[in-house]
Amino acid sequence: MDNVNEMDTLLELVNIPPRDQINGGKRSCPTGMLVKRYGPPRQRLTYDCEKVTAPFWKSRMVTKSVGPFRASGHRLAVALLTVSLAKVKLRHPELYKDLGSAGMLCCRRVRGSTALSNHGLGLAIDFNFRGRLDSRGDGKCQRAMLLLYSVMKEDGWYWGAEFPTEDSMHFEVSAEKVQEWIDAGIF
C-alpha cells in the first residue's frame, strides 16, 4: 500500500465496536473519588481551560515529550503515555508519525455538567490524526483511533468510545490503573 492510500485509510470513518466489547471491563477514571480524596485541582471551575492551582495537584504535573508531541499532565499519566506511544511507533509507524494531541491538561468542567473533567487532573488526553479531530457522538471513529486503542488498552487506558455519547478521540487512565498507582503509594 502506498503512503497516500495508507493515510487515507487511517482517516476513514469506521463503526465503533459494540460498547460491551470496548474497554474489557475497565472503568472510567475515578475523577470524583480523586477530588474527594485529594481535593480539587483549583477552587473555581468554569467551562474554560484554566491552570491547576492546588498544591497537591500542581506538584504532580509535568510537561514532557511523549514521542510525536509534547504533553502536559499528571506525571504518571505522561510516563504511561510515553510507554504506550513507543508501542504505537513500533506496531503502527504510519499512525505514529501523524498522531497529534488536542490537549491533555485542561482544568475545566465536563461540557454540559458541573463535574470536573478528568483532563483537569491531567489524566486524560484527546488525540487527533493529521490535525483532524474525530467527531463526537456519531458512532464512528477514524480508523487511526481504532488502531491507537488496540495498543493503548494494553497499558490501562480507557477509551471514550464507550461513553454514552461516544468520544473516540478521548483516552483516559482507567480506574484500575489509578487504583494500582494509589495502592503502590506513587500517586
Side-chain angles (χ1 to χ4, degrees):
M1 180 181 287
D2 68 42
N3 224 6
V4 172
N5 288 338
E6 197 169 279
M7 284 191 206
D8 290 343
T9 299
L10 289 173
L11 283 171
E12 177 186 5
L13 293 180
V14 296
N15 289 328
I16 298 278
R19 281 191 169 83
D20 64 349
Q21 295 176 18
I22 294 178
N23 287 302
K26 287 186 185 85
R27 294 170 292 126
S28 182
C29 184
T31 307
M33 179 276 285
L34 292 171
V35 167
K36 188 177 270 189
R37 186 171 184 163
Y38 302 109
R42 62 178 295 116
Q43 284 303 313
R44 187 173 167 272
L45 287 175
T46 67
Y47 293 109
D48 296 323
C49 192
E50 299 183 83
K51 291 184 178 188
V52 170
T53 57
F56 174 86
W57 292 105
K58 194 173 180 178
S59 71
R60 283 153 175 78
M61 300 303 154
V62 298
T63 300
K64 292 189 173 183
S65 173
V66 293
F69 52 83
R70 291 177 62 77
S72 296
H74 191 287
R75 61 184 166 68
L76 295 173
V78 171
L80 184 65
L81 182 60
T82 303
V83 168
S84 297
L85 293 180
K87 291 177 184 177
V88 170
K89 183 179 183 179
L90 288 173
R91 295 182 200 169
H92 305 289
E94 72 288 355
L95 166 62
Y96 179 87
K97 76 179 190 66
D98 286 326
L99 190 63
S101 171
M104 187 168 188
L105 180 59
C106 177
C107 198
R108 64 169 172 79
R109 292 180 177 161
V110 173
R111 288 177 184 86
S113 168
T114 59
L116 171 67
S117 166
N118 44 35
H119 286 279
L121 303 178
L123 295 169
I125 185 165
D126 290 336
F127 288 101
N128 64 55
F129 181 70
R130 294 181 68 202
R132 296 186 190 168
L133 296 175
D134 193 275
S135 296
R136 206 172 151 245
D138 64 359
K140 296 190 179 293
C141 69
Q142 297 166 347
R143 188 174 302 280
M145 296 301 119
L146 196 57
L147 276 178
L148 183 62
Y149 161 69
S150 73
V151 176
M152 301 276 292
K153 68 181 179 181
E154 295 172 10
D155 294 321
W157 293 92
Y158 178 94
W159 190 28
E162 188 178 326
F163 289 160
T165 300
E166 160 270 311
D167 190 2
S168 61
M169 71 174 174
H170 177 91
F171 289 76
E172 59 189 54
V173 180
S174 68
E176 292 76 14
K177 181 57 82 172
V178 168
Q179 191 60 54
E180 180 183 311
W181 291 338
I182 291 169
D183 292 348
I186 61 173
F187 190 77

